[in-house]
Amino acid sequence: MSKKPQSNRPSHSAYLVEGEGENAIWTEIGALWAHEDGKGFNLSLKAIPVDGRIVIRARKPKAEQA
């Protein structure tokens, strides 16, 4: 069984989202790294929200972010 190298870069970002629709405020609060077996994630949070909701989104390649 060959192991593929694990990236130091997270695959997803965690956001605190407050509000709805066009008025929603998105604040990045953490990152997720996929497990090597593809069946889970490690989550690292910079903050724990007391209100709003946490949304997980796949990160875009740097070329798409610009």
Side-chain angles (χ1 to χ4, degrees), residues 22-58:
E22 295 290 322
N23 295 323
I25 299 170
W26 290 62
T27 305
E28 187 172 1
I29 60 168
L32 289 88
W33 289 261
H35 287 175
E36 198 170 305
D37 65 5
K39 295 183 179 182
F41 295 89
N42 287 337
L43 171 62
S44 177
L45 294 174
K46 298 184 260 183
I48 299 174
V50 294
D51 196 14
R53 64 189 182 279
I54 296 176
V55 175
I56 308 300
R57 301 281 299 181

Side-chain angles (χ1 to χ4, degrees), residues 10-30:
S11 59
H12 293 73
S13 294
Y15 296 91
L16 164 63
V17 181
E18 299 172 284
E20 298 292 331
E22 295 290 322
N23 295 323
I25 299 170
W26 290 62
T27 305
E28 187 172 1
I29 60 168

